[in-house]
């Protein structure tokens, strides 16, 4: 299959990973923590796509672009740098990447903080998506679910057609989705021609299109202007384009996928890689000292130099409440 233009891997690096505090901080968000076999999630993302694309673009922000730069140096990857002055959600972030590309370039957009296994299935899904993108479709990747997960959005599908996008469900609804059998996890990964995405954005969300275009045109070596950026409505790509366009296709994929958005998913991943737990399922992260758990089951002890977190694995989703509380107090512990 001849592709005349570039295939560009666009890495979105926003997000602080508030549900992984205190490991994840503003100065060291979760995608840069080297706790996964000596590599960070960001580095694994760069490696994973290096053979699938011939250019790399990193959309970061003023707080994290130097951290991305270190990873790109470590992996000796040349890249196009886009540095947002302020977070404006995914519609704008993806628009900047599309404006920085030729209209016929095919973009593979991925977050920087996901874990993926079963690489043969992954490569197959990407190649299938590229073929559909060549035909002018905007492709989203739907993961065939392994359990009724409440932490992910879902895509209701029929073959490669999208019937609807669904918000994160409650337990009952998630079980119903799994039982119905045609619901996929929404992975937040996309593939499309730059021009096609921009045309759809212009049609459905002209304000985001126009204001992102202005910001891009006034950018200086990839650095974006703060005051102009603040004019851009903060809207997700799902809401701006995916849920409205008639050009959407889904590739149902069976690679192993997790957004590692909570300590429960980090726990499951680390267990699968042989990280020790005691006989009652208790785990220590980040601490070399001998630690004993008495009368506790499925407890995670997270140690950092300035803060510890002790939680029940089942309470993983509540960590963001702790983070929000510290944010209200303007706490140093978030930095």
């Amino acid at each position: 299959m001849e592709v005349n233009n570039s295939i560009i891997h666009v890495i979105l690096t926003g997000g602080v990973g508030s549900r992984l505090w205190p490991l994840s901080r503003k100065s060291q968000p979760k995608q840069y923590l080297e706790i996964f076999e000596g590599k960070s999630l960001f580095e694994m993302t760069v490696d994973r796509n290096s053979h699938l694309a011939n250019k790399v673009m990193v959309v970061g922000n003023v707080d994290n672009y130097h951290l991305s730069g270190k990873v790109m140096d470590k992996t000796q990857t040349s890249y196009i740098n886009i540095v947002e002055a302020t977070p404006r959600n995914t519609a704008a972030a993806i628009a900047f990447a599309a404006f920085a590309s030729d209209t016929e370039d095919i973009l593979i957009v991925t977050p920087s903080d996901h874990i993926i296994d079963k690489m043969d299935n992954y490569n197959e899904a990407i190649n299938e998506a590229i073929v559909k993108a060549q035909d002018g479709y905007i492709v989203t990747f739907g993961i065939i679910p392994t359990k009724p997960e409440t932490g992910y959005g879902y895509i209701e599908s029929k073959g490669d057609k999208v019937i609807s996008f669904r918000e994160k469900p409650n337990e009952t609804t998630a079980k119903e989705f799994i039982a119905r059998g045609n619901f996929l996890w929404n992975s937040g990964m996309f593939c499309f021609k730059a021009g096609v995405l921009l045309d759809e954005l212009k049609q459905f969300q002209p304000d985001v299109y126009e204001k992102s275009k202005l910001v891009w045109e006034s950018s200086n070596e990839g650095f974006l202007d703060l005051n102009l950026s603040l004019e851009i409505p903060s809207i997700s790509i799902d809401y701006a384009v995916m849920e409205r366009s008639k050009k959407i296709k889904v590739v149902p994929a069976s690679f192993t996928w997790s957004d590692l958005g909570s300590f429960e998913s980090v726990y499951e991943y680390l267990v699968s890689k042989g990280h020790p737990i005691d006989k009652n399922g208790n785990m220590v992260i980040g601490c070399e000292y001998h630690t004993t758990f008495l009368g506790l089951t499925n407890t995670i002890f997270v140690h950092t130099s300035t803060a510890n977190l002790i939680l029940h694995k089942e309470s993983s989703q509540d960590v963001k409440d702790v983070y929000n509380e510290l944010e209200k107090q303007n706490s140093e512990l978030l930095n």
Side-chain angles (χ1 to χ4, degrees):
M1 180 187 76
E2 265 309 293
V3 179
N4 301 330
N5 279 48
S6 297
I7 294 183
I8 303 175
H9 176 209
V10 179
I11 308 175
L12 305 179
T13 70
V16 198
S18 58
R19 287 175 298 169
L20 291 188
W21 181 86
L23 276 188
S24 190
R25 309 284 182 104
K26 287 177 178 168
S27 60
Q28 196 74 355
K30 69 167 179 176
Q31 59 269 33
Y32 303 105
L33 301 170
E34 293 196 343
I35 54 173
F36 306 98
E37 297 147 68
K39 287 187 175 184
S40 63
L41 295 171
F42 186 105
E43 186 179 338
M44 289 159 88
T45 303
V46 174
D47 287 350
R48 181 185 311 133
N49 292 284
S50 57
H51 65 290
L52 295 168
N54 44 28
K55 278 189 193 170
V56 180
M57 206 175 269
V58 177
V59 185
N61 57 49
V62 283
D63 295 329
N64 73 9
Y65 77 93
H66 60 287
L67 296 170
S68 301
K70 280 183 191 161
V71 179
M72 302 311 271
D73 288 348
K74 180 181 171 187
T75 56
Q76 300 184 321
T77 309
S78 62
Y79 67 109
I80 299 152
N81 197 19
I82 298 175
V83 182
E84 294 185 297
T86 177
R88 295 325 273 158
N89 214 317
T90 50
I94 288 172
F96 297 139
F99 283 126
S101 310
D102 290 339
T103 51
E104 289 295 303
D105 285 343
I106 287 182
L107 275 50
I108 299 165
V109 179
T110 75
S112 60
D113 54 1
H114 291 182
I115 276 282
I116 288 172
D117 277 325
K118 297 195 184 160
M119 289 313 296
D120 289 351
N121 302 12
Y122 177 77
N123 295 338
E124 203 175 299
I126 295 275
N127 288 326
E128 196 179 319
I130 289 171
V131 172
K132 292 182 195 297
Q134 295 277 60
D135 291 338
Y137 291 106
I138 295 172
V139 185
T140 178
F141 294 81
I143 313 296
I144 298 165
T146 51
K147 59 175 189 211
E149 173 64 61
T150 56
Y152 301 148
Y154 284 73
I155 298 169
E156 184 185 3
S157 65
K158 187 179 180 186
D160 69 355
K161 290 184 182 60
V162 174
I163 298 168
S164 69
F165 286 90
R166 303 292 183 92
E167 295 296 315
K168 294 174 180 176
N170 60 27
E171 191 79 21
T172 316
T173 310
K175 285 180 173 152
E176 192 183 301
F177 286 174
I178 301 296
R180 285 172 55 186
N182 65 326
F183 282 79
L184 305 164
W185 288 337
N186 188 351
S187 70
M189 292 172 49
F190 310 103
C191 181
F192 49 76
K193 279 186 186 173
V196 172
L197 188 280
L198 288 173
D199 288 346
E200 295 297 276
L201 183 63
K202 190 175 185 176
Q203 182 183 340
F204 296 110
Q205 207 69 53
D207 48 352
V208 175
Y209 175 88
E210 297 298 346
K211 292 186 166 139
S212 300
K213 190 167 194 269
L214 274 177
V215 169
W216 179 248
E217 285 168 352
S218 74
S219 68
N220 182 8
E221 296 188 351
F223 285 78
L224 309 183
D225 180 84
L226 175 62
N227 292 331
L228 287 175
S229 297
L230 289 167
E231 300 284 309
I232 305 171
S234 178
I235 293 172
S236 74
I237 194 71
D238 292 49
Y239 174 71
V241 174
M242 300 297 152
E243 294 176 13
R244 297 148 94 176
S245 168
K246 299 282 178 279
K247 294 186 175 175
I248 309 297
K249 293 278 189 199
V250 62
V251 170
S254 56
F255 51 84
T256 315
W257 172 88
S258 166
D259 71 351
L260 287 191
S262 68
F263 278 112
E264 182 167 20
S265 54
V266 169
Y267 176 102
E268 286 169 6
Y269 175 75
L270 291 174
V271 166
S272 77
K273 295 293 178 191
H275 190 94
I277 47 175
D278 72 9
K279 65 179 192 300
N280 296 315
N282 301 306
M283 176 185 281
V284 177
I285 297 176
C287 180
E288 299 303 313
Y289 296 114
H290 178 79
T291 306
T292 304
F293 297 83
L294 277 181
L296 298 169
T297 55
N298 293 343
T299 298
I300 307 172
F301 170 49
V302 184
H303 171 75
T304 71
S305 59
T306 55
N308 294 326
L309 173 70
I310 299 158
L311 73 152
H312 243 146
K313 180 158 68 95
E314 287 67 41
S315 303
S316 293
Q317 296 295 336
D318 302 334
V319 176
K320 66 173 177 298
D321 300 338
V322 178
Y323 187 96
N324 294 342
E325 197 47 50
L326 289 167
E327 199 156 41
K328 277 188 201 131
Q329 299 162 18
N330 215 345
S331 170
E332 286 293 299
L333 293 170
L334 299 186
N335 298 335

